[in-house]
């Protein structure tokens, strides 16, 4: 694995999300109750950037802006009746006050 520092930990507060471009990969960072996650910033349905959607901090639900597909931000699993829809999670670690992601 080749982790890269993509953001300062202090720049992503609980309940916030942000989209980043790391080389040619679109990355979505989420902070759900202090747990930081990284996914590819692409809805499995139509490829729309999930960073344009909405994160409900209390429930940890991420909603795509285009067709309102919903995902559990903690696990990436789809919450609606869309078969096995799931987000592609990227390995993440917190180190030296930064957020590090292993981007393919």
């Amino acid at each position: 694995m080749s982790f890269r520092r993509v953001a300062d930990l202090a720049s992503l507060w609980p309940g916030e999300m942000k989209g980043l471009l790391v080389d040619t990969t679109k990355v979505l960072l989420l902070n759900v109750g202090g747990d930081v996650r990284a996914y590819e910033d692409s809805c499995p349905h139509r490829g729309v950037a999930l960073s344009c959607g909405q994160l409900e901090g209390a429930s940890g639900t991420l909603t795509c802006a285009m067709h309102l597909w919903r995902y559990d931000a903690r696990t990436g699993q789809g919450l609606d009746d869309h078969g096995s829809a799931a987000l592609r999670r990227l390995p993440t670690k917190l180190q030296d006050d930064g957020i590090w992601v292993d981007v393919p």
Side-chain angles (χ1 to χ4, degrees):
M1 288 188 183
S2 178
F3 282 91
R4 298 179 56 183
R5 185 181 177 126
V6 297
D8 292 333
L9 183 56
S11 71
L12 189 69
W13 292 26
E16 289 187 331
M17 66 177 178
K18 86 169 51 174
L20 306 168
L21 185 62
V22 181
D23 292 331
T24 59
T25 303
K26 293 179 182 179
V27 175
L28 175 67
L29 295 179
L30 303 162
N31 186 331
V32 182
D35 292 326
V36 176
R37 301 281 190 263
Y39 298 100
E40 283 189 358
D41 192 4
S42 178
C43 181
H45 179 216
R46 296 280 184 178
V48 173
L50 289 165
S51 57
C52 296
Q54 184 176 17
L55 175 63
E56 297 172 34
S59 67
T61 300
L62 175 62
T63 305
C64 178
M66 182 173 244
H67 293 115
L68 304 179
W69 281 30
R70 299 176 313 132
Y71 302 91
D72 182 326
R74 290 178 182 90
T75 65
Q77 292 300 309
L79 297 175
D80 300 309
D81 295 327
H82 305 298
S84 60
L87 305 179
R88 182 165 179 226
R89 189 166 176 181
L90 301 172
T92 307
K93 66 181 180 179
L94 306 178
Q95 181 178 322
D96 301 325
D97 296 321
I99 302 170
W100 297 71
V101 178
D102 184 20
V103 179

